[in-house]
Amino acid sequence: MILTVVGCSGTVPGPDAACSCYLLEHAGVRILLDLGTGALGPLQRFADPCAVDAVVLSHPHRDHCADLVPLVYLRDRRGVSGPLPVLAPAGSAERVVGEGRPYTDALKWLDAGPEPFRIGPFTVRTTPVPHSVPAVAVRVSAGDATLTYSGDSGVCAELDDLARGSDVLLCEAAAAVDTPGASRNHLTPAQAAATATRAGAGQLILTHLRPWADPAAALAEARVHSARPVSLAVPGLRVAV
């Protein structure tokens, strides 16, 4: 399984990064974890957007889902037939596409729940995590490889359990900068590192830093609190999981 970081900026795009979007590829099948503000543009550097087989949305905040409708528009203009499966927390469709539900026939909304979702070689499991709207963390397995993506989450046992034994924990650290309410809905780098350690993840990749955060400071903080290798997500990073 290959992970490519398409966008990793938290809340708003940064000067060098779109918002959250992560491409997973295995055996010719492609899925996206989130498709946030500005991500459709750089996605085209790494994959044909019309060849994406499914999208998993962690939650319906714009920095995680804003480019889903542009993706559907592109698919429509290029004559792609068949609906695109979108796995997301229940009720996300209304928040993402708004009144009137444009492109109803182009999207197949699936409610994230306790049962695993299969797409080609991928097995996707989700669990609810604490955030300001209904949100899930996501665990993706293919072959012998497993990656867990936190989405946006506070500290919780559910994320620890989902990530247990993962080869990679792709974990947000948006609370690296003091923002009102951040500690309730986001993780600090130290908390992300502690989560990876408790879960026994093979490595930690910090992501979702806000554009005004200091990435070097976030990385240093996480390394102090981690018993696992730690790195930073940057656009174009490719990792063999």
Side-chain angles (χ1 to χ4, degrees), residues 146-174:
T146 300
L147 175 144
T148 298
Y149 169 49
S150 66
D152 283 1
S153 174
V155 176
C156 63
E158 291 81 0
L159 178 57
D160 291 357
D161 291 341
L162 190 71
R164 199 162 312 282
S166 296
D167 297 292
V168 173
L169 174 58
L170 178 64
C171 194
E172 69 111 332

Side-chain angles (χ1 to χ4, degrees), residues 101-176:
R101 300 284 298 277
Y103 300 110
T104 299
D105 295 337
L107 294 169
K108 181 181 179 181
W109 289 93
L110 304 164
D111 290 344
E115 296 301 316
F117 172 67
R118 291 297 302 273
I119 178 71
F122 294 107
T123 299
V124 180
R125 294 180 172 84
T126 64
T127 191
V129 291
H131 196 49
S132 56
V133 297
V136 295
V138 183
R139 181 183 177 105
V140 182
S141 300
D144 296 328
T146 300
L147 175 144
T148 298
Y149 169 49
S150 66
D152 283 1
S153 174
V155 176
C156 63
E158 291 81 0
L159 178 57
D160 291 357
D161 291 341
L162 190 71
R164 199 162 312 282
S166 296
D167 297 292
V168 173
L169 174 58
L170 178 64
C171 194
E172 69 111 332

Side-chain angles (χ1 to χ4, degrees), residues 59 69 86 97 107 118 146 161 188 223 229:
H59 64 289
V69 170
V86 181
V97 300
L107 294 169
R118 291 297 302 273
T146 300
D161 291 341
T188 66
R223 284 176 170 166

Side-chain angles (χ1 to χ4, degrees), residues 1 5 9 45 54 77 94 116 126 133 150 161 190 213 225 231 234 240:
M1 177 165 55
V5 176
S9 184
R45 300 176 193 152
R77 296 298 93 184
E94 290 76 10
T126 64
V133 297
S150 66
D161 291 341
H225 293 86
S231 58
V234 293

Side-chain angles (χ1 to χ4, degrees), residues 6 106 187 227:
V6 178
L187 298 168

